[in-house]
Structure formats: structure tokens, C-alpha cells
Amino acid sequence: MTLKSNLFPLGKLIKPHGLRGDITLFLDRSWFTGLLSQYPQVIINDTSYTLISIRRQARFYVVRFSSVDQASGAEDLRNHTLYCPLSHLKAYAKEHQIYLSNLWIGFSIKDKEGRDCGTVEAVIPTGSNDVLELKLGDKELLVPVTAEYILSIDEKNKQLIIKYPEMV
């Protein structure tokens, strides 16, 4: 995941779909469809677009933007990344109680007793929930991103409080 100023990448526009300006989109997370329905303003190649339709087709989505009405316009968007403002992503995630674990890389980790548990080195998407890869010295620890294990999130101080997995 790369942040481009205050933007968050949602997925990649693959290729035009048909002749009316539709384009095939691969979204990194399926819940991004709800985000796009609520906040249809997106950024592609430093230009703002308004999403007017999104529909699922196999493992991809077919989207249409208000200012793209021909296949040639969709062709210009081929292989570009679709971004949304980070503020929209955070507002949607808070409203729908979704963890934004990709933003936690580099956060320090403490357990509920206040002991240092290292830092978040990576986020591993698993389909059902993400898993944090923590590093403390030469040890690595995997922690599921669920309400059971993530007890507190302090974005300002870049710190997470976790329940230490029992199997360790």
C-alpha cells in the first residue's frame, strides 16, 4: 500500500468493458463497494471523477464515471490506480466499524499490561480478517486483526494495544 498525499489506493482499473465507457476494476477489498456508493468521488491519475455505477462481474467490478462515455475515454484509464480521499476512507471505516490495518504499518505495539510487543512490520490479508506481522527484536509474532485481539488504536501516537495471543 502506498499513500499518495492524502489518498488511499482502492484498486486498479484493468481495461475498457464495452463501448459506452465502462471499465473493469479490480478492488483490493470487497467492502470498498460500499465506500464507493457512499463517497463516489475518486481520483485517477491526479484527476477527480464521479462514479455513477458499479456492478460485480465474476471477481471484478464494472464501473462507469460521469465524464467517461466512450470506450476511448475508458482506454485512457487502463492500468491506472483508483484512489479515494483518506478522509472518506476513515469516515466510512469508523461508521461501519472496519479496521484500517494497512495504515498501522510502523505502529508500536503494547499488550494490555503495557509490555512492549514490537512494531507492525506488515499486514497479511487472509480473506476473512487481516493478520498483523509484529517484530520484537529477532522474534516475529502474528496477531489476527479482530476485536478480540485489537483492544485499542491510538492513531495520533501510532500505537496499538493488543491481547497477546495465548499460543505464544
Side-chain angles (χ1 to χ4, degrees):
M1 180 211 69
T2 56
L3 289 174
K4 188 176 180 180
S5 62
N6 286 318
L7 302 175
F8 187 88
L10 299 179
K12 186 169 184 156
L13 296 160
I14 307 298
K15 63 179 182 173
H17 181 86
L19 301 173
R20 300 180 308 162
D22 292 354
I23 188 163
T24 306
L25 168 67
F26 176 78
L27 287 175
D28 292 337
R29 307 287 175 137
S30 62
W31 65 264
F32 287 165
T33 58
L35 169 70
L36 290 170
S37 295
Q38 190 168 335
Y39 297 101
Q41 287 301 123
V42 295
I43 308 296
I44 305 164
N45 203 24
D46 297 325
T47 303
S48 181
Y49 290 86
T50 301
L51 182 77
I52 58 174
S53 73
I54 183 168
R55 67 183 189 277
R56 189 162 181 84
Q57 183 162 342
R59 55 177 231 206
F60 297 97
Y61 295 87
V62 176
V63 296
R64 180 177 294 169
F65 302 104
S66 60
S67 58
V68 179
D69 59 2
Q70 295 182 350
S72 60
E75 183 62 43
D76 293 341
L77 301 177
R78 179 191 288 262
N79 294 325
H80 285 282
T81 300
L82 180 91
Y83 293 90
C84 81
L86 189 56
S87 60
H88 293 176
L89 179 75
K90 286 182 175 183
Y92 184 85
K94 184 175 182 176
E95 179 182 339
H96 295 276
Q97 299 179 338
I98 297 170
Y99 290 120
L100 297 177
S101 53
N102 285 4
L103 302 178
W104 300 344
I105 295 173
F107 275 35
S108 63
I109 306 293
K110 297 208 180 280
D111 66 13
K112 59 185 175 182
E113 285 79 34
R115 293 182 296 237
D116 186 23
C117 296
T119 59
V120 178
E121 292 292 311
V123 177
I124 304 165
T126 64
S128 60
N129 60 269
D130 291 343
V131 174
L132 299 179
E133 181 182 312
L134 310 182
K135 186 153 180 121
L136 178 60
D138 60 347
K139 294 181 183 179
E140 288 185 2
L141 174 67
L142 300 178
V143 176
V145 178
T146 63
E148 179 182 356
Y149 290 98
I150 307 299
L151 304 178
S152 173
I153 305 161
D154 181 351
E155 286 189 26
K156 183 178 178 185
N157 295 312
K158 297 186 180 258
Q159 184 177 72
L160 300 175
I161 307 296
I162 66 165
K163 173 185 171 188
Y164 209 72
E166 294 173 19
M167 69 224 42
V168 180

